[in-house]
Amino acid sequence: MRAGRLGTAEIICNDYFLLLLGLYFLVGVLPQALLLFTAVAWHEGCHALVAHRLGWQVKSVELFPFGGVARLTRPPGRGFMDEALIALAGPLASFFLALGITLFGLLLNFEPAGLLFFRQVNLILGFFNLWPGLPLDGGRIYRALRAKYTGLYRATVEGVYGGQVLALLLGLGSIAGFFFRLVDLQGLALALFIYYAARREGEVAPYMFWQDFWRQRGKENKLKAGKVFWLVADPGLTLARVARSFSHRSFNLVAVIGKGGRLEGILTETEILQELLEGGNNTLDALLRK
């Protein structure tokens, strides 16, 4: 449900969030639900604020029961550290709010139950989001730092694995806790949400590879005449796998070597990229036979 706009950003309350608020109302804990909503909105709003200050376009902010998603557009020429700073802003904002609540309680010389719950929510939200797995903030920080060494595609895949590991741990822990009557199954719902979101991040990883490839090549302005990067590949390799080894500093040529070391053919990066852009991900052998 659209809740309004903040500048150019659209504020969206996910239907599951509204359902959770309704359930909290039915069981008589609506104030806690509103505090949870406030903590999540503060966390995501600080992501959007820092992104805006860094020159990113904030398209929308969607609030879920267990967090939120700020949909951003990276401006041309901005590096990975922007993403790390934007991701770090959320946990820091949650910790800052928790610290403010603590100081306020000390000033009053007592801490109402509502403030205690609000502080705990912000601390959990801050620490939980620092896990190095996508789609959490820690996963985005990890990806930004790792991308400098492994490339954006590999860093994204590693972040997806981190998120799926967390989902597995949460799911197993929730089932075990429910079996021993220690917790309910909310943790299982959170695990499924994280696994689904991590999988979605993995689906866009190939596009992030191309974004990184052309961004790096753009930094070179133009390729130096005569500079060629040769790759040797088996005919059975897919085009996408070969393309991940391309150098953005040179024009890429792929020598396809078959059985007995026989040269099956030579493919240019233009031929491979064109095939991929048209939606094909055949093997090198299949492309040679076209």
Side-chain angles (χ1 to χ4, degrees), residues 131-196:
W131 176 272
L134 292 169
L136 303 177
D137 297 330
R140 302 192 184 283
I141 296 170
Y142 175 86
R143 177 171 66 186
L145 297 177
R146 282 285 289 165
K148 297 167 62 177
Y149 306 101
T150 66
L152 195 55
Y153 175 82
R154 187 66 230 171
T156 300
V157 171
E158 291 176 2
V160 169
Y161 289 155
Q164 290 176 336
V165 168
L166 176 61
L168 179 63
L169 294 175
L170 280 174
L172 293 176
S174 179
I175 293 172
F178 181 77
F179 180 78
F180 291 107
R181 299 182 179 179
L182 298 175
V183 295
D184 56 26
L185 288 176
Q186 286 191 42
L188 182 59
L190 176 58
L192 292 173
F193 171 78
I194 291 176
Y195 183 86
Y196 172 76

Side-chain angles (χ1 to χ4, degrees), residues 238-280:
T238 62
L239 303 181
R241 184 171 179 181
V242 173
R244 290 172 204 149
S245 300
F246 281 176
S247 169
H248 57 80
R249 297 183 178 90
S250 312
F251 188 79
N252 299 272
L253 291 175
V254 180
V256 184
I257 306 298
K259 293 181 179 180
R262 185 178 60 202
L263 178 65
E264 300 287 343
I266 296 175
L267 292 169
T268 68
E269 71 169 37
T270 305
E271 293 173 303
I272 293 175
L273 295 180
Q274 183 64 39
E275 180 70 13
L276 287 170
L277 289 173
E278 290 176 357

Side-chain angles (χ1 to χ4, degrees), residues 4-169:
R5 298 188 71 87
L6 183 61
T8 60
E10 193 172 41
I11 311 300
I12 302 171
C13 287
N14 185 269
D15 292 342
Y16 292 109
F17 205 151
L18 299 176
L19 177 62
L20 182 64
L21 290 177
L23 291 176
Y24 274 29
F25 174 77
L26 291 176
V27 298
V29 289
L30 183 60
Q32 288 90 328
L34 294 176
L35 289 174
L36 173 62
F37 177 89
T38 302
V40 171
W42 166 260
H43 183 102
E44 293 303 320
C46 288
H47 281 312
L49 177 62
V50 171
H52 177 72
R53 295 287 294 178
L54 290 173
W56 290 48
Q57 181 186 359
V58 183
K59 292 184 175 180
S60 65
V61 176
E62 185 170 3
L63 303 177
F64 293 91
F66 312 108
V69 176
R71 295 182 175 87
L72 313 171
T73 300
R74 182 199 302 266
R78 301 309 293 261
F80 299 124
M81 290 311 297
D82 271 16
E83 184 179 11
L85 291 173
I86 294 169
L88 187 59
L92 287 181
S94 296
F95 292 143
F96 179 78
L97 191 54
L99 177 62
I101 294 168
T102 301
L103 294 176
F104 184 70
L106 291 174
L107 183 64
L108 294 178
N109 205 25
F110 80 99
E111 196 167 44
L115 283 181
L116 177 62
F117 174 80
F118 195 38
R119 182 180 66 185
Q120 290 174 337
V121 165
N122 280 282
L123 288 173
I124 292 172
L125 195 59
F127 281 115
F128 182 76
N129 270 281
L130 287 176
W131 176 272
L134 292 169
L136 303 177
D137 297 330
R140 302 192 184 283
I141 296 170
Y142 175 86
R143 177 171 66 186
L145 297 177
R146 282 285 289 165
K148 297 167 62 177
Y149 306 101
T150 66
L152 195 55
Y153 175 82
R154 187 66 230 171
T156 300
V157 171
E158 291 176 2
V160 169
Y161 289 155
Q164 290 176 336
V165 168
L166 176 61
L168 179 63
L169 294 175

